[in-house]
């Protein structure tokens, strides 16, 4: 966010708006805050008092000061609250607690089938969140919000999964409502690729406003950050590129019911199937990655071809949204440079020069941490938004009266 002041739409303190300037963690003086916002020093003082009483900010020592009384600098206190983050995959579950900058404080992962249904999986999440809070000597009162990633389409406005293919029992389930009944905090739910895009940007590309995150695993999907904002589209299905038809897929059946989809020829299971047709003993995408690591030429060729097929679809995406970074994640990206090479070959040769002049196509740097970090950032983004903080400040001042 720029250092420009926005008009507070809720509450009278405007403390939430002022706080946005401090979210980067950099200490600032009252004079600096007054200069940036154009607010009177007395107004700044009132708003800082409100944030201080919430425990969200505090004074920091100024080591650089020489002589005299050091100027009083104020900064975010990242550990003043915690957020709950959960990355619930097809067959794994990862729950973590993070501070207000997204720094992980404690986490727990185990194998858990999403097909066990929402009550079992979310119950597991709540149970382990409580354990992690206890480990840190904290309680539910320290929690400010939860961010949850699910391996299927989610209607973001309601947090309900929409016809998720691998999640029996989850269709239209009120995930935020269920969690809220057990933990009374705001709950935000999104699909796994969107939260991976958020995590990748936070981890490695904070200055990049146009980032395209592609996940290649059992399925293929993408998370689109454009002008600094995650793009979900009207129903939350923006970036669902796995079922775009590609030329080499003609006539090949996809699990969605159509034929010729990208996912039907370039996902992990699809690459494994193509190697089986060559008489190779390969069951899963992970087997393909293992063969590539051992330098198996058939597997390398198949992965590179999948990269070209993905590149065909990405060329269209590049024309539409003009990203400056495309990051490849998901289990098949562990096949390394071969997948990237196929993608680059097609995207760089088929896109218009202006669109690729500064385009980087890279392997995800956040890798296995992308999803859980993104889930934290999803929770933080909404919990620390101006309206949320103004409401918090208003509630605190009315309960103090
Ligand atoms: Zn399909």
């Amino acid at each position: 966010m720029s250092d420009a002041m926005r008009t507070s739409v809720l509450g009278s303190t405007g403390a939430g708006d002022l706080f946005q300037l401090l979210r980067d963690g950099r200490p600032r003086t009252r004079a600096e805050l007054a200069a940036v916002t154009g607010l009177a020093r007395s107004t700044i003082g009132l708003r800082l008092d409100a944030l201080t009483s919430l425990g969200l900010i505090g004074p920091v020592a100024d080591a650089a000061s020489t002589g005299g009384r050091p100027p009083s600098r104020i900064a975010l206190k990242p550990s003043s609250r915690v957020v709950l983050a959960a990355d619930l995959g097809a067959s794994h579950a990862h729950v973590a607690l993070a501070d207000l900058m997204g720094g992980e404080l404690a986490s727990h992962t185990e194998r858990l089938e999403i097909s066990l249904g929402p009550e079992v999986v979310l119950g597991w999440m709540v149970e382990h969140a409580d354990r992690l809070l206890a480990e840190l000597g904290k309680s539910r009162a320290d929690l400010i919000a939860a961010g949850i990633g699910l391996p299927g389409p989610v209607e973001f406005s309601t947090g309900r999964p929409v016809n998720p293919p691998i999640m029996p029992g989850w269709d239209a389930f009120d995930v935020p409502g269920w969690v809220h009944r057990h933990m009374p905090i705001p709950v935000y739910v999104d699909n796994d690729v969107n939260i991976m895009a958020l995590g990748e940007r936070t981890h490695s590309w904070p200055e990049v406003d146009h980032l395209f995150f592609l996940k290649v695993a059992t399925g293929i999907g993408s998370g689109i950050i454009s002008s600094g904002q995650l793009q979900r589209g009207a129903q939350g299905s923006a970036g669902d590129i796995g079922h775009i038809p590609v030329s080499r897929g003609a006539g090949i059946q996809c699990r969605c019911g159509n034929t010729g989809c990208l996912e039907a020829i370039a996902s992990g299971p699809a690459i494994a199937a193509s190697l089986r047709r060559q008489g190779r003993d390969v069951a899963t995408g992970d087997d393909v990655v293992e063969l590539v690591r051992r330098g198996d030429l058939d597997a390398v060729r198949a992965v590179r071809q999948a990269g070209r097929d993905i590149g065909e679809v990405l060329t269209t995406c590049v024309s539409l949204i003009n990203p400056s970074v495309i990051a490849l994640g998901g289990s098949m990206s562990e096949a390394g440079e071969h997948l990237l090479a196929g993608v680059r070959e097609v995207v760089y040769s088929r896109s218009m020069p202006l669109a690729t002049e500064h385009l980087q196509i890279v392997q995800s740097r956040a890798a296995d941490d992308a999803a859980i970090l993104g889930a934290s950032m999803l929770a933080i983004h909404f919990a620390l938004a101006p309206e949320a903080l103004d409401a918090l400040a208003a509630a605190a001042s009315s309960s103090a009266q």
Side-chain angles (χ1 to χ4, degrees), residues 242-244 253-264:
H243 303 282
I244 293 176
Q253 185 66 44
C254 178
R255 61 177 173 157
C256 73
N258 281 326
T259 59
C261 300
L262 176 64
E263 201 169 289

Side-chain angles (χ1 to χ4, degrees), residues 372-399:
I372 199 77
L373 175 58
S376 305
M377 297 316 293
L378 178 69
I380 291 167
H381 176 77
F382 288 100
L384 299 186
E387 301 77 15
L389 287 185
D390 285 350
L392 211 59
S397 74
S398 70
S399 71

